Amino acid sequence: EESKRAKKPGPEGFLIQEVALKGVVKTPEGYTAMVLGPDGKSYFVKLGQRFYDGAVTAVDGSSVTFRQEVADPLSPVRMREVKKSLYTTEEARQ
């Protein structure tokens, strides 16, 4: 069962809905997002960073986009895009 799977420490153990986007930093390699985890700590995440239920697929100057694995067995959709923005309350976009 999904809830029985051991969670890893850090972002790989967090559900996408558990993290909040706090900032975006531009580096020579591209953008890095700063997210606040459910443990109250801040983490820097980049493109490709794994989370418990998905991964980061894009980071730009004001938002981070995740590909989230949908765990609901009744859902016809297996993946969905979740965008967290610094400036709006819009969390998910179908």
Side-chain angles (χ1 to χ4, degrees):
E1 191 180 322
E2 184 83 13
S3 62
K4 300 271 190 288
R5 199 164 65 171
K7 285 191 175 186
K8 295 181 179 179
E12 289 183 36
F14 300 156
L15 295 170
I16 290 166
Q17 78 242 26
E18 290 179 325
V19 299
L21 180 62
K22 287 295 174 197
V24 177
V25 181
K26 189 169 184 5
T27 68
E29 295 81 43
Y31 288 102
T32 298
M34 187 174 87
V35 297
L36 182 66
D39 58 1
K41 296 179 183 167
S42 293
Y43 296 87
F44 288 97
V45 299
K46 296 179 183 167
L47 191 65
Q49 171 68 54
R50 288 287 311 161
F51 280 77
Y52 188 72
D53 59 344
V56 175
T57 57
V59 182
D60 64 28
S62 63
S63 67
V64 60
T65 305
F66 302 86
R67 186 182 64 242
Q68 184 180 39
E69 296 151 12
V70 178
D72 181 358
L74 301 177
S75 172
V77 189
R78 289 283 161 251
M79 296 280 184
R80 71 175 180 163
E81 189 173 272
V82 176
K83 186 171 187 174
K84 293 183 185 270
S85 174
L86 285 174
Y87 305 116
T88 71
T89 55
E90 180 190 355
E91 285 280 308
R93 217 175 49 194
Q94 296 285 341

